[in-house]
Amino acid sequence: MAQVLRAAVAAACAGGLLSRLQAPVPAVRASSASQASRGVAGAVWALGRLNHVAIAVPDLEKARAFYRDVLGAQVSEVSPLPEHGVSVVFVDLGNTKMELLHPLGSDSPIAGFLQKNKAGGMHHVCIEVDDINAAVTDLKEKKIRSLSDEAKIGAHGKPVIFLHPKDCGGVLVELEQA
Ligand SMILES: C[C@@H](C(=O)O)C(=O)SCCNC(=O)CCNC(=O)[C@H](O)C(C)(C)COP(=O)(O)OP(=O)(O)OC[C@H]1O[C@@H](n2cnc3c(N)ncnc32)[C@H](O)[C@@H]1OP(=O)(O)O
């Protein structure tokens, strides 16, 4: 896919088509895919789709009711995930999801965030990757800190790992095995 995009962009650039059409989206996509595929030796991986955007909320039932009753979205039941220290509700948006997060237990990783942001707010983005182990190995080499030694099973039953927000432009990034 990345090769096809790169070839299309190269052909368009050669003919001056890209600048005439002012179509930056394919160029950006090709650039991020090719960056990922240039990982260290043995660590070839690529980003996939946006899986979800997570919002930390002080009142999970109230937030769930807002998305369901006011915005008319399809929402899941509340799922407690004790191994992650959160309860979650997924809001289905068709092309992606929102994940409403509320602390669970006395040692929740989102407790500090909600103390600082009492009304709640955007907590992390989750992007799929085609090979999470290759991604983790490659990112370690690039000095991007992971927040656990290895991937854990996330809300969708697939391996996930979080990257430190200070190494990702101030955004907490979750990678999920596609
Ligand atoms: C179920 C699963 C799934 O979807 O599959 C989930 O969602 S689990 C979702 C919950 N699990 C996780 O979030 C796991 C990964 N998260 C963590 O390990 C933690 O939340 C940290 C990201 C390390 C933050 O922990 P904590 O707030 O206790 O530490 P801290 O106050 O020292 O924060 C260190 C610095 O990072 C900033 N910081 C903290 N949380 C942030 C966030 N969500 N986005 C951007 N920056 C953030 C703080 O403001 C602070 O910056 P300053 O130093 O400038 O003030």
Side-chain angles (χ1 to χ4, degrees):
M1 180 62 172
Q3 273 178 341
V4 172
L5 278 172
R6 275 199 297 275
V9 171
C13 286
L17 181 62
L18 195 63
S19 55
R20 284 203 302 279
L21 291 178
Q22 293 186 313
V25 172
V28 169
R29 285 184 145 199
S31 148
S32 66
S34 64
Q35 247 175 11
S37 64
R38 277 202 308 269
V40 291
V44 178
W45 61 283
L47 283 180
R49 60 190 281 278
L50 176 68
N51 186 282
H52 63 262
V53 174
I55 313 291
V57 299
D59 183 332
L60 195 51
E61 277 304 342
K62 193 172 165 192
R64 182 172 179 269
F66 170 74
Y67 282 95
R68 185 191 57 201
D69 302 336
V70 180
L71 298 186
Q74 286 202 339
V75 301
S76 72
E77 296 298 323
V78 175
S79 293
L81 299 173
E83 63 281 15
H84 288 280
V86 290
S87 294
V88 302
V89 166
F90 279 100
V91 179
D92 185 1
L93 299 178
N95 63 341
T96 190
K97 298 181 278 286
M98 291 174 77
E99 181 187 45
L100 309 178
L101 293 173
H102 188 74
L104 178 64
S106 54
D107 200 19
S108 173
I110 72 166
F113 181 91
L114 270 176
Q115 256 158 23
K116 285 186 194 160
N117 303 278
K118 298 218 180 299
M122 205 206 81
H123 185 261
H124 66 261
V125 295
C126 175
I127 309 173
E128 295 176 1
V129 291
D130 61 355
D131 185 338
I132 197 164
N133 292 327
V136 168
T137 303
D138 184 31
L139 292 169
K140 249 182 212 160
E141 292 284 330
K142 290 173 176 159
K143 309 290 181 215
I144 309 296
R145 287 167 289 170
S146 302
L147 290 165
S148 57
D149 290 338
E150 42 189 48
K152 293 183 190 175
I153 297 303
H156 306 110
K158 295 179 173 178
V160 299
I161 197 154
F162 285 85
L163 306 177
H164 202 294
K166 295 293 180 194
D167 297 344
C168 302
V171 176
L172 177 61
V173 175
E174 178 183 15
L175 300 180
E176 178 175 301
Q177 177 66 49

